[in-house]
Amino acid sequence: MDRQGADAAEPSAPVGPAIFVFDEHPTAEDVAGVVTVVRQHRLDTLTAEQAHQPPGTDMQRFAQQLRENYYPDMPSDAVVEVAQLTITPSLR
C-alpha cells in the first residue's frame, strides 16, 4: 500500500477493488473501480497538487467548501485523505 502524509492511521478508503456509490444522485449507477493510492494530509497544509486540484487553487476556499458542503465540524488541522482511483470500463 502506498500511504504517505501526516498520520499513520489506517485510511478509511482501503486500497483495492471498490464499488463507487453516488448517494446524493439516486439515478446514477454504481461504478466499479480500484482505489490505487490513499494519502493522508493535514487540511491546513494541503496543497493543490496534493489534492489533485489545478495549480493556483485557493486551498483556504477549498477547505471552506469542504466544510460548507460536507463536513461542517471539520477543524483546520484535520487529517484528510486523498484517494486516487481508476474506473473499470463499463461493458454497456
Side-chain angles (χ1 to χ4, degrees), residues 23-76:
D23 293 333
E24 299 297 317
H25 301 281
T27 60
E29 293 185 21
D30 296 351
V31 176
V34 177
V35 176
T36 57
V37 177
V38 178
R39 292 191 172 97
Q40 298 176 337
H41 305 279
R42 275 180 53 134
L43 181 62
D44 56 357
T45 61
L46 185 66
T47 66
E49 181 180 16
Q50 291 168 331
H52 301 274
Q53 297 298 303
T57 295
D58 180 341
M59 294 308 289
Q60 288 183 345
R61 178 72 179 132
F62 182 87
Q64 179 183 358
Q65 289 175 328
L66 285 175
R67 287 186 193 94
E68 289 174 1
N69 296 312
Y70 304 102
Y71 312 106
D73 299 323
M74 184 170 51
S76 61

Side-chain angles (χ1 to χ4, degrees), residues 67-88:
R67 287 186 193 94
E68 289 174 1
N69 296 312
Y70 304 102
Y71 312 106
D73 299 323
M74 184 170 51
S76 61
D77 65 348
V79 174
V80 297
E81 295 178 348
V82 179
Q84 289 179 284
L85 50 101
T86 59
I87 302 300
T88 305

